């Protein structure tokens, strides 16, 4: 018959397994929260919420859209978003997550998109794009600190 001589080892292994499961659960929860923030940003833009940048971008944000000549700050992103809203409105979008990596308080998300925009003349243009977003965990939840991407040409 097997006799357990070191019950402390069994307890240690059991605690490690439980900790590993908790860490995996936290990682999945973090990934879900990051994806929810990305969807919230796209929804806010589609709904015409002009305050989304103030609420969702970190103060030291720097994002580089494919159609921009250089990275844009939070203030610049806010200004260009308001200008774009005068030219047309997003009427539909769909996002396709590819990968979300969370490392501590930083997350990187890669995804594809389809986006439909109605211009001032009523014409709708549909475009596909690819994005990489970088988010940081703050006291107010996840916020964007950087991104890169845009419509495919």
């Amino acid at each position: 018959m097997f006799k357990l001589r070191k019950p402390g080892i069994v307890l240690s292994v059991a605690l490690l397994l439980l900790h590993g499961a908790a860490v995996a659960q936290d990682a999945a929860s973090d990934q879900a929260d990051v994806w929810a923030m990305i969807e919230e940003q796209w929804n806010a833009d589609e709904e015409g919420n002009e305050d989304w940048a103030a609420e969702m971008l970190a103060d030291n944000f720097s994002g580089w859209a494919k159609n921009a000549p250089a990275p844009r700050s939070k203030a610049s992103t806010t200004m260009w978003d308001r200008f774009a809203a005068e030219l047309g409105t997003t009427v539909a979008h769909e996002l396709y997550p590819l990968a979300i990596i969370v490392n501590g308080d930083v997350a990187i998300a890669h995804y594809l998109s389809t986006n439909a925009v109605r211009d001032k003349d009523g014409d709708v243009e549909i475009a596909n794009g690819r994005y990489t977003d970088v988010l940081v965990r703050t006291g107010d939840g996840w916020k964007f600190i950087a991104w890169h991407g845009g419509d495919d040409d």
Side-chain angles (χ1 to χ4, degrees):
M1 184 164 143
F2 176 73
K3 185 174 181 185
L4 186 59
R5 294 178 191 253
K6 302 220 180 203
I9 292 175
V10 173
L11 179 60
S12 295
V13 169
L15 289 174
L16 282 173
L17 290 173
L18 288 173
H19 175 72
V23 168
Q25 186 176 10
D26 289 346
S29 177
D30 283 345
Q31 289 173 332
D33 291 345
V34 166
W35 187 246
M37 175 53 78
I38 292 168
E39 287 188 321
E40 185 178 337
Q41 186 273 320
W42 281 77
N43 289 336
D45 184 58
E46 185 174 322
E47 294 163 1
N49 176 353
E50 293 183 7
D51 296 326
W52 71 261
E55 299 165 0
M56 298 179 189
L57 302 183
D59 289 338
N60 57 344
F61 170 83
S62 179
W64 198 347
K66 282 176 64 176
N67 63 352
R72 292 187 171 142
S73 66
K74 182 176 182 175
S76 179
T77 298
T78 300
M79 189 261 309
W80 283 105
D81 184 66
R82 288 194 174 137
F83 176 72
E86 293 174 11
L87 300 177
T89 56
T90 300
V91 293
H93 73 273
E94 187 171 10
L95 305 179
Y96 311 91
L98 299 175
I100 299 173
I101 296 98
V102 178
N103 189 352
D105 291 337
V106 176
I108 300 168
H110 303 288
Y111 60 98
L112 303 174
S113 69
T114 298
N115 192 37
V117 175
R118 178 173 288 123
D119 66 19
K120 291 290 185 182
D121 297 328
D123 296 326
V124 175
E125 183 177 328
I126 297 175
N128 297 307
R130 66 191 71 222
Y131 295 87
T132 297
D133 294 348
V134 181
L135 295 90
V136 292
R137 188 189 328 256
T138 71
D140 297 328
W142 291 98
K143 292 194 180 231
F144 296 90
I145 194 163
W147 60 39
H148 178 70
D151 294 344
D152 292 335
D153 298 323

